[in-house]
Amino acid sequence: MKKLFLLISMLLPLAAVAQNETLISNNDSIPSVLERLITERVSQQHSQHSQYQSHMNLEFYTSSNAYFTENTFDELSFKLNRVRLEIYGRLNERLSYHFRQSFNRYYNPHSLDNLASSIEYANITWHGSEKFSMVAGKQFVALGGYEAYVNALRVREFAEFNNNVAVYQAGLMGVIDFNEDQQLIMQVVNNRSGSDSDLFIYGRPDGLEPAKVPLLATLNWNGYFADKALHFRYSASAGQLAKGRNIYYLTCGNVYEKGPVIAYLDVMYSREGIDSQQRITTLQGQGRGWLPQTAQNTQYLSFIANFDYQFHPKWNAYIKGAYETAGVYEENGIFGAGRYMTSWNAQGCLEWFPFAEDKGFKVFAHYLYKGHELTENAETLMAVVPHTQRISLGIVYVIPVL
């Protein structure tokens, strides 16, 4: 495994890089505040030279939320779900950059990448040609799936799988564009940002030596078909969590996007020598009679289905569901082999764009139901995971400052 990572790291500079998580302002062509203040002529001149200029967005997502547990009302409160500052642009024909900071995360630097978790992007891209480029720095892990690359502001609630994978890591990434419809991504990043104690809440299991090459290598294919209406995004990843304990991801996204419809089916699978997602580890409940310990040999599987329909220029609606399982594939310590939990969630959302000329501003009403079914294995751990519901009314606004 170590030799594989070293070989990929040496060969990667010969490859190239793809886009990071999609930029809402680029996709929606939202004019910046400055562009709105100047004349149309100056705006046209600005757009002709925009590839050599900087862009700045402020991403704002807030909501009021009513929480329920087992159909019992718990709380009504306001929450700033996401506030982020994003700066990106091109220095010249060959170099571009991307920086984004979240104000909803911690600021203490991690020991491995020496960067606060609040920094999601801090990278620079070298564009070798139209066929290849390369990026270095903190970036998005190139997993497959629609929800693995779309801007998080477009997703009201992620599945448990995506919620528990650390998707921003430092490293190198490259892409080869065979043509406008076929793309191959190669990436090597850290598999964590800090120490083992940061990754595993109960520490690395006794008797395991730390990983000397704590990296994650990913191979990702993107393909477009049917005049780009169909988009397939498949990837495979492998990394080392500790000596003799590896992690593997197989993830894929199947997307249909045409006219007012966006539909997708994501399938996500992980096989972890040590429980990096911590979903089985955290099932250990009160009164267990033993010291808590980190689970090993865990596996997680998720199916995520979504259907979006913009039935009016100012109105969009979607329904979404996720089905997920968590289990142990080989007995270890107190954790017997078998399934531990089946989880599902159902969502419905109505979005309103009050200003047709500004797609970056929307008001939404969202409903979320999360259900959990525990097996005998989980009950042995004294696990308790109730069904929950949430009703939200909120605002999303991408403010293009510059």
Side-chain angles (χ1 to χ4, degrees):
M1 180 64 69
K2 183 192 306 182
K3 293 181 179 178
L4 173 63
F5 286 132
L6 294 176
L7 179 62
I8 293 176
S9 299
M10 289 187 289
L11 293 177
L12 192 58
L14 300 177
V17 71
Q19 289 287 336
N20 289 319
E21 181 182 284
T22 53
L23 303 171
I24 286 185
S25 59
N26 272 3
N27 291 343
D28 295 339
S29 300
I30 308 170
S32 71
V33 172
L34 291 181
E35 288 174 323
R36 300 177 192 189
L37 296 177
I38 56 183
T39 64
E40 179 180 356
R41 179 179 178 182
V42 176
S43 295
Q44 293 174 349
Q45 294 175 348
H46 171 78
S47 63
Q48 293 173 0
H49 301 284
S50 60
Q51 62 175 325
Y52 306 115
Q53 297 185 1
S54 294
H55 302 270
M56 180 185 297
N57 294 329
L58 181 62
E59 299 181 357
F60 179 77
Y61 163 25
T62 185
S63 62
S64 60
N65 307 286
Y67 300 93
F68 301 82
T69 301
E70 301 287 1
N71 296 318
T72 300
F73 174 69
D74 292 327
E75 181 183 66
L76 174 64
S77 61
F78 292 96
K79 186 174 184 179
L80 288 170
N81 307 81
R82 193 168 289 117
V83 179
R84 302 189 299 195
L85 178 66
E86 182 172 50
I87 304 172
Y88 63 96
R90 296 184 74 110
L91 300 172
N92 51 49
E93 292 183 354
R94 296 296 185 189
L95 294 176
S96 64
Y97 58 91
H98 192 179
F99 173 86
R100 190 170 73 197
Q101 181 172 12
S102 170
F103 298 99
N104 304 101
R105 296 177 180 268
Y106 295 110
Y107 287 82
N108 296 328
H110 287 297
S111 58
L112 191 62
D113 63 16
N114 196 37
L115 199 64
S117 62
S118 63
I119 306 298
E120 297 177 342
Y121 291 134
N123 61 59
I124 190 163
T125 302
W126 174 62
H127 303 269
S129 71
E130 293 183 357
K131 293 293 185 180
F132 69 92
S133 54
M134 183 174 65
V135 67
K138 194 165 186 180
Q139 57 199 263
F140 200 85
V141 179
L143 298 178
Y146 178 86
E147 292 192 5
Y149 79 93
V150 72
N151 193 296
L153 287 182
R154 297 187 185 275
V155 183
R156 299 282 77 76
E157 182 72 22
F158 285 97
E160 294 297 325
F161 192 103
N162 291 318
N163 269 334
N164 289 278
V165 174
V167 293
Y168 301 106
Q169 300 292 346
L172 294 171
M173 182 170 70
V175 70
I176 298 174
D177 286 303
F178 298 106
N179 53 54
E180 64 178 11
D181 293 326
Q182 300 293 323
Q183 183 182 81
L184 184 66
I185 299 172
M186 292 172 286
Q187 183 186 60
V188 176
V189 296
N190 294 336
N191 62 27
R192 61 178 186 267
S193 300
S195 64
D196 284 343
S197 60
D198 296 321
L199 180 62
F200 309 118
I201 59 175
Y202 299 129
R204 188 177 64 253
D206 294 338
L208 295 182
E209 298 181 19
K212 293 186 177 181
V213 186
L215 301 179
L216 183 73
T218 298
L219 186 66
N220 180 298
W221 167 75
N222 281 307
Y224 293 88
F225 301 91
D227 197 25
K228 295 188 181 298
L230 290 175
H231 176 198
F232 301 105
R233 185 181 180 93
Y234 290 14
S235 78
S237 306
Q240 187 180 65
L241 297 171
K243 186 176 181 180
R245 292 291 187 273
N246 301 323
I247 183 170
Y248 304 96
Y249 292 109
L250 291 175
T251 56
C252 68
N254 309 277
V255 186
Y256 175 82
E257 184 172 3
K258 187 173 183 180
V261 174
I262 300 176
Y264 62 86
L265 173 65
D266 287 353
V267 182
M268 325 285 286
Y269 173 75
S270 72
R271 189 177 179 90
E272 308 176 6
I274 309 177
D275 188 18
S276 68
Q277 290 199 35
Q278 301 289 289
R279 289 159 58 191
I280 290 180
T281 297
T282 54
L283 288 177
Q284 299 170 81
Q286 300 294 325
R288 53 187 171 266
W290 65 83
L291 292 176
Q293 53 191 274
T294 299
Q296 302 179 61
N297 306 327
T298 59
Q299 58 184 357
Y300 299 99
L301 176 64
S302 297
F303 296 91
I304 309 164
N306 183 93
F307 182 81
D308 256 85
Y309 181 58
Q310 186 167 354
F311 56 91
H312 185 275
K314 290 188 175 184
W315 291 93
N316 182 73
Y318 71 78
I319 55 174
K320 176 180 173 181
Y323 175 84
E324 305 182 84
T325 64
V328 171
Y329 60 85
E330 184 177 331
E331 181 179 356
N332 60 98
I334 62 172
F335 301 95
R339 183 177 295 189
Y340 278 66
M341 180 168 59
T342 300
S343 302
W344 59 91
N345 76 57
Q347 302 178 44
C349 189
L350 182 64
E351 300 174 325
W352 174 45
F353 305 93
F355 312 111
E357 71 281 2
D358 189 348
K359 293 296 184 182
F361 182 89
K362 62 184 173 184
V363 180
F364 69 86
H366 180 263
Y367 172 77
L368 167 69
Y369 174 86
K370 283 188 175 183
H372 309 277
E373 181 180 342
L374 301 176
T375 68
E376 184 178 345
N377 285 325
E379 292 172 353
T380 300
L381 299 177
M382 312 296 290
V384 177
V385 186
H387 304 318
T388 60
Q389 301 160 23
R390 188 187 71 213
I391 300 174
S392 302
L393 180 64
I395 294 172
V396 174
Y397 194 15
V398 180
I399 307 170
V401 179
L402 180 61

